[in-house]
């Protein structure tokens, strides 16, 4: 094991800078909370809310209709974004139903 020594003044400066960084991150997090970023939903929740299958959800992501964020292999959606496309999905469902009817 290697031991490294530093002056007390240098150590105190480093800890002060680290404390500044921590306060900066906390301030940013607090500002974002105030903006009402809202709840994030996963694939299963969005499929249930929109009454669609996972493949349809994939299509909505692929064609840019629904914005998403990915952390590792998990995909999340803002509740507000999902709410905005409820009418889009409903209209597509009506169009598909109309086209499938035979007269």
């Amino acid at each position: 094991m290697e031991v490294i020594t530093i002056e007390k003044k240098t150590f105190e400066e480093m800890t002060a800078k680290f404390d500044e960084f921590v306060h900066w991150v906390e301030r940013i997090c607090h500002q974002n909370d105030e903006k009402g970023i809202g709840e994030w939903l996963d694939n299963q929740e969005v499929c249930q809310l929109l009454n669609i299958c996972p493949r349809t959800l994939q299509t909505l992501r692929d064609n840019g209709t629904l914005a998403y964020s990915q952390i590792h292999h998990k995909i999340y959606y803002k509740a507000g974004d999902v709410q905005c496309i409820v009418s889009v999905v409903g209209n597509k469902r009506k169009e598909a139903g109309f086209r499938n009817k035979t007269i």
Side-chain angles (χ1 to χ4, degrees):
M1 177 169 69
E2 184 178 352
V3 177
I4 300 174
T5 58
I6 58 175
E7 293 178 9
K8 181 179 179 181
K9 180 182 174 185
T10 304
F11 178 76
E12 289 171 349
E13 288 174 359
M14 287 173 45
T15 56
K17 288 289 185 187
F18 184 75
D19 287 341
E20 284 179 35
F21 177 75
V22 168
H23 292 300
W24 179 75
V25 170
E26 288 173 348
R27 188 178 71 243
I28 289 174
C29 290
H30 182 68
Q31 288 172 349
N32 287 336
D33 286 341
E34 290 174 354
K35 289 180 182 175
I37 286 181
E39 182 179 340
W40 288 82
L41 306 170
D42 65 10
N43 284 334
Q44 183 178 0
E45 293 168 321
V46 174
C47 286
Q48 289 173 347
L49 284 171
L50 298 177
N51 194 25
I52 58 175
C53 67
R55 182 64 189 112
T56 302
L57 182 58
Q58 174 72 48
T59 301
L60 292 173
R61 284 195 311 266
D62 290 346
N63 66 19
T65 303
L66 182 58
Y68 65 95
S69 294
Q70 186 171 356
I71 301 174
H72 297 289
H73 298 291
K74 186 122 170 128
I75 298 174
Y76 298 95
Y77 310 84
K78 284 185 179 180
D81 291 344
V82 174
Q83 188 63 37
C84 288
I85 68 157
V86 168
S87 62
V88 172
V89 172
N91 290 340
K92 294 283 187 186
R93 187 171 281 131
K94 287 177 187 175
E95 290 174 11
F98 180 75
R99 278 188 255 136
N100 291 336
K101 289 185 180 179
T102 54
I103 299 178

